[in-house]
Amino acid sequence: MTAAPVSALALAGRSLRIGRRQPDALITALMLPVMLMLIFVYFFGGAIDTGTAYVTYVVPGAMLLCAGFGAASTAVSVADDMKNGVIDRFRTLDIGGIPILAGHVTASVLRNLLSTTLVLAVALAIGFRPQAGPLAFLAAAGLLLAYITAISWLAAVLGLLAKSPEAAGGFTFLMMFLPYPSSAFVPIETMPGWLHGFADHQPLTPVIESLRALLLAQPAGNAPWVALTWCAGITAVAVTLAAVLFRGRTR
């Protein structure tokens, strides 16, 4: 019963070591969300009316965008493992599919926590001023961790579905696109009417609204519970699909 967690942690270390050998991918995952946040704030922020300083409005969306880029590397790593034969060697060591995938997910969560911390640090440097107390910060961090975990497991599923690392990178486009038709960068009411239904009810919007409310000490309503429900549902479905797909790919 204790072998799986140990194996998952060891495999997470392996994934992190592999990531260090790909500095171009790591730098892209770390710096691209920061660059996009700076572009939105300094190029477009003056033209967008959000009722507050635009950097204050955009930070939660930039954090989720960052998580999407980080999760993309997870899908590629899983697809690469499935292609290069290393899974056969792991299976001779009696390591199951879930620990193998959990290693990738754990490494993804750690990388994403680093990158979102970098985004937050840059945001603070350019004028973001959160108003949250310690409990609200902890709640925001817990929600962000739940989202990163959910999207990392979803990325692992996409990596199992892909036939090549290149295809896995293409599959993750949806995760990187979803922050845009949400309340991440502009208020939903400024979007075309036909887009309101999707933007209001897709999973990222309640996560963004919850983070924004928690960090700025504003009323959050039921958004955090909706966000946690989405995260829990995505994680449960993704873990189940990952187990089924892994068995199918390794028979």
Side-chain angles (χ1 to χ4, degrees), residues 105-123:
V105 169
T106 303
S108 174
V109 170
L110 294 174
R111 285 193 302 265
N112 273 307
L113 290 176
L114 173 62
S115 58
T116 51
T117 300
L118 177 61
V119 167
L120 180 59
V122 173

Side-chain angles (χ1 to χ4, degrees), residues 38-208:
L38 294 175
I39 288 171
F40 272 99
V41 170
Y42 289 114
F43 292 3
F44 307 133
I48 301 174
D49 181 15
T50 61
T52 184
Y54 188 65
V55 64
T56 301
Y57 184 88
V58 81
V59 167
M63 289 180 173
L64 267 59
L65 186 66
C66 182
F69 280 108
S73 64
T74 303
V76 173
S77 297
V78 170
D80 188 55
D81 274 359
M82 300 304 295
K83 180 182 178 182
N84 64 20
V86 70
I87 298 298
D88 293 333
R89 281 177 276 170
F90 287 149
R91 288 173 67 80
T92 63
L93 300 174
D94 196 27
I95 301 175
I98 289 298
I100 292 172
L101 298 173
H104 285 287
V105 169
T106 303
S108 174
V109 170
L110 294 174
R111 285 193 302 265
N112 273 307
L113 290 176
L114 173 62
S115 58
T116 51
T117 300
L118 177 61
V119 167
L120 180 59
V122 173
L124 291 170
I126 64 175
F128 178 59
R129 296 295 179 264
Q131 306 297 319
L135 290 179
F137 263 118
L138 286 175
L143 178 57
L144 185 61
L145 179 61
Y147 173 77
I148 291 173
T149 302
I151 201 172
S152 296
W153 274 108
L154 182 58
V157 170
L158 296 177
L160 289 168
L161 288 171
K163 299 302 183 184
S164 69
E166 294 77 15
F171 283 175
T172 57
F173 170 78
L174 179 62
M175 293 190 297
M176 293 183 282
F177 172 76
L178 273 180
Y180 295 99
S182 74
S183 61
F185 302 112
V186 297
I188 291 175
E189 58 267 21
T190 65
M191 298 178 184
W194 55 267
L195 192 54
H196 287 186
F198 177 79
D200 278 324
H201 298 101
Q202 65 131 309
L204 270 68
T205 293
V207 178
I208 292 166

